[in-house]
Structure formats: C-alpha cells, structure tokens
Amino acid sequence: MIVSPAFAGKRYAILGLARSGMAAFESLHASGAELLAWDNREELRESVRDKAMIADPLVSDLTGYDAIIVSPGVALNGQPIAQKAAADGVPIIGDIELFSQARPALPAHRVVGITGTNGKSTTTALVHHMLVSAGVPSLMGGNIGVPILSQEPLPKGGVYVLELSSYQIDLTQSLDCDVALLLNISPDHLDRYDGFDGYAASKARLFDMLGADHVAIFASSDEKTRLALNGLRDLGRVQNIIDASSVTISGQADWPSLQGPHNLQNVIAAVATVEALGISEEQWCPALESFTGLAHRMERIAEAQGVLFVNDSKATNPASTGPALGAYPKIHWIVGGMPKGDTLTECEPFYQNVVKAYTIGEAGPMFGKLLADKIPVESSEMMLTAVQRAAANARPGEVVLLSPACASFDQFRDFEARGDCFRTAVNSVIENNLVGTAAAEANR
C-alpha cells in the first residue's frame, strides 16, 4: 500500500469502512496515524477495533483532529457530518486528497487526472493501457479498479492515472495533476448539487488545483466544458492548455473495442493525454488495436447467427447512450431503468440506426410514449424478456445493444449487476438457439 511520513502522529476520523474508507484506514494506520473509525456495519467496526478507537464521529469531540475522511458516496450538502466538521473546525477530505498529501514521499512520478460526465472509465483505462504498452510503469485508480492507496507505489518515472468523479474532486484540495483532462459535462447527479452550474463547477475544480506549468486538456465542445476552458484561459495562470475538441484521428475500424462516436472522442482525449506525457504516435497507435475495453462499456458479449450482442450497461444517462446508438447501423435497443429525466434528447440523432426498441424497468412506459411515433417499440419490462424478443427479431449483421440511458436501481443493485443479467440472458438465448427465430419464421 501507499504510506507516508506526512501522516505519522496525526489524528484522523474515518466515517465509512467500505473500499476507499478501508484503504484510507490501512494506509493511515501503517503510516503511524492515530485513528477514530466508524461504520454502520458492525462487522466492519469489529475488523478494525484493534487498530483504532471505535466511535461515531457525529457524537465525538473532534477538536484538534487533522481531518475527517469520508467516502465519495457521502453527500456533503446539508448532511450532519458537514455540520459537525464545521462546528469542530475539521476539514472533510477523501482518499484522493490523502494520496495527494502522500506524493512528496513517493518515488518521482507524474499524475493524470481524468474527469467528465461520460467516458471517464474507458478513457482512464485506455490511457493506462497506452502507457503500459509504451513501457511506462503505470497504475490506475480513483473511481476505477482498486483504491489508489491500496496499491504498491510505482517506481521512479511511473504515472498514476486517476479517474475522478465530481464527488471525489469535492473531497480533494491539493491534487496538482501533471495532466488534467475534462472530457465533457452534461446534466447528472443533480441531487447532490445546486443545479447544473454547481455540478459543472465541481468538475472544473480539478483545474483550480493545477500547477501553472502543467497541462490542461479539454475534449468537448459542450457549453459547460467551453466555459471551463475559457475561464482557465481568462485567468492566464496555466500556460499549457490544449483544446482537443476539433481534433480528428483515423483508423477506428481497426479498434474493435472502441466503436462509436463517443469512443472516437475518448481516443482523441487519451491520445492528447499520452502525447502530453511524451508518448509518440508510434507508441500509442498499436495500443488502440490491442485495447480490450472494460466490462459493461460497449462490451462485446457474444456473436451468434451473425448477430452481435453488446453490453453498455454503464450508459446510465441519455448523453452516454446517444453515441452508443451511433456505433452500429442496425440496432435492437434495450432501454430503460430508473430515469434521470423525462427526455431522450441526446439519443434522437441516432434513431435511424434503431431497428426496434425494447423498454424495461420503471422508465419503460414513459420511454414507450416518447419513442412510439419515432421507432418501433416493444414493452418488455424485464431484462430476460427484452433479450429474448430482441434476439428473436435480430437478423445477421444486426446488433442487440443494452444501453439503458437510466440508472439501474429500480431492478438491480448497480449497473454491473444489470450488465451481468444481460450477459446471462444472452448466453441463455444462444444456448437455446433462440437467435433469429422470429426473422426465420418471417422468411418462410
């Protein structure tokens, strides 16, 4: 794990002992910090009882503590922990801020910070893959994979690639990235912010922490990204600002795991990032072909009877789903879940690619009405039903695509569970020879 003498002898309260909280706990304990820890789950409290004082920070005197560490999932707007921290004069931070404070004791390295509403995970994984392919020691963490504090420090010359959600940026004060990348900003998580402007401002804070001699990259032409770009230019503090929104790169047909207009933009952003780190085209170009992608993100599940099945369960809003619909010319689209709005505006430019839509979940009836006069729609309600009907209707050369444009919490624990359900359903229809059966009957 990552440890640092910067934490030795200091006092920290940790609220929440799940993945990032436990990573912070173990790092701080190994660094010689004095800890108070709490989690609502008794088994997690018991697991650290021999290393910390077990007490709820909300009812403890935290005067003189160096920080309260919370997980990114803890909302700070109006929450009791925020009021308690203010009353006791203690800052609230997260594990990314601890990583930032630990950096001076690590071997010489660089950090890439990647944020945005859509495409963060794919772009982070792609940058990491490009670096490793070029022979550069690299780790990825933050909002993806293993918490960064749980990983072994990189050797000299390594690059830490961090996917950063707005929640993580909110809990970070000093992360000076060598390269900071903003992919895009569209409405999301508005329950946590004072409207869209508040959410966008949270993303833009990554650049407030950026050193004047480091690199800022902006990859989109959307309004809020443009405002963040122009605002940084107006300040005149950061000298190395790259606008990658109009850059073009050819050869996408040769990148099997990077199809669709959104993935082309992810590639452009990733290339700008690694080139800012000194990686040449000769080094990054082969990595595009060998990149295998991430689970639940335009993931090619299987192919049967000439029909391709693609899992894009991570598409939890229309802005993410729209470009996925642009990836293939003939799509049987499984859409629905817990809606984040009452429109599918970002999907509309790609309706010509949809052969038929199959609605599921809470949003099913609303989406059925929105789509009824634009494309054929079939109400399916459940995932298995939607996959069975889509697979039966699909013809060779067509694609069955799960890209829900919704959160998963109406029917599933998370988007991963939803994607796993899709995979199971796909395997079932293939094993039972149900692919293309309706089309075959129609041709008789």
Side-chain angles (χ1 to χ4, degrees), residues 78-352:
Q79 293 300 309
I81 190 60
Q83 298 167 9
K84 172 65 173 175
D88 288 357
V90 183
I92 298 179
I93 63 173
D95 65 317
I96 300 300
E97 175 61 22
L98 290 175
F99 168 73
S100 177
Q101 294 178 16
R103 290 184 63 189
L106 297 176
H109 63 275
R110 289 178 290 180
V111 170
V112 172
I114 298 172
T115 194
T117 304
N118 297 309
K120 295 189 299 295
S121 296
T122 295
T123 305
T124 300
L126 181 56
V127 168
H128 170 67
H129 177 68
M130 288 173 165
L131 291 169
V132 172
S133 298
V136 178
S138 179
L139 289 175
M140 64 178 178
N143 202 42
I144 187 173
V146 178
I148 196 65
L149 292 176
S150 296
Q151 303 190 50
E152 287 300 311
L154 288 169
K156 182 178 179 180
V159 178
Y160 296 90
V161 186
L162 304 180
E163 176 190 334
L164 300 172
S165 70
S166 58
Y167 301 169
Q168 289 168 313
I169 296 172
D170 290 341
L171 297 170
T172 306
Q173 283 82 47
S174 67
L175 182 67
D176 180 6
C177 299
D178 295 86
V179 181
L181 167 63
L182 176 59
L183 289 165
N184 47 62
I185 309 178
S186 58
D188 204 4
H189 304 304
L190 299 188
D191 57 322
R192 290 274 294 256
Y193 295 97
D194 184 15
F196 187 21
D197 288 346
Y199 170 66
S202 175
K203 296 286 188 186
R205 276 198 63 250
L206 182 62
F207 300 93
D208 294 338
M209 297 180 277
L210 196 66
D213 58 340
H214 289 165
V215 180
I217 301 174
F218 296 83
S220 174
S221 59
D222 66 71
E223 178 189 0
K224 296 300 182 183
T225 302
R226 294 291 96 188
L227 287 173
L229 169 61
N230 293 334
L232 194 62
R233 282 176 170 165
D234 290 343
L235 288 174
R237 178 176 56 80
V238 176
Q239 304 305 311
N240 304 308
I241 300 176
I242 298 172
D243 182 355
S245 62
S246 60
V247 174
T248 59
I249 296 178
S250 60
Q252 189 176 20
D254 298 324
W255 317 328
S257 295
L258 293 164
Q259 295 302 294
H262 57 326
N263 274 325
L264 181 57
Q265 293 306 309
N266 292 338
V267 167
I268 290 169
V271 166
T273 300
V274 297
E275 286 190 341
L277 295 168
I279 304 302
S280 68
E281 182 174 355
E282 290 72 20
Q283 292 173 298
W284 59 252
C285 192
L288 298 177
E289 295 184 31
S290 60
F291 182 65
T292 56
L294 296 170
H296 313 295
R297 297 160 179 86
M298 294 298 286
E299 178 189 13
R300 298 162 70 97
I301 294 291
E303 189 168 356
Q305 304 298 321
V307 176
L308 178 64
F309 294 85
V310 177
N311 170 20
D312 192 35
S313 182
K314 181 63 169 64
T316 59
N317 54 57
S320 182
T321 288
L325 296 177
Y328 302 99
K330 293 185 177 181
I331 294 171
H332 293 264
W333 176 27
I334 300 174
V335 57
M338 181 178 290
K340 293 185 175 180
D342 55 5
T343 72
L344 288 168
T345 304
E346 294 92 340
C347 300
E348 292 176 1
F350 306 98
Y351 284 166
Q352 72 272 11

Side-chain angles (χ1 to χ4, degrees), residues 44-97:
L44 291 178
R45 298 197 301 269
E46 289 300 315
S47 71
V48 300
R49 186 173 292 277
D50 60 336
K51 300 177 181 178
M53 178 191 304
I54 305 301
D56 187 344
L58 287 173
V59 295
S60 302
D61 182 5
L62 301 181
T63 305
Y65 273 66
D66 291 277
I68 301 171
I69 292 104
V70 302
S71 76
V74 176
L76 298 183
N77 48 337
Q79 293 300 309
I81 190 60
Q83 298 167 9
K84 172 65 173 175
D88 288 357
V90 183
I92 298 179
I93 63 173
D95 65 317
I96 300 300
E97 175 61 22

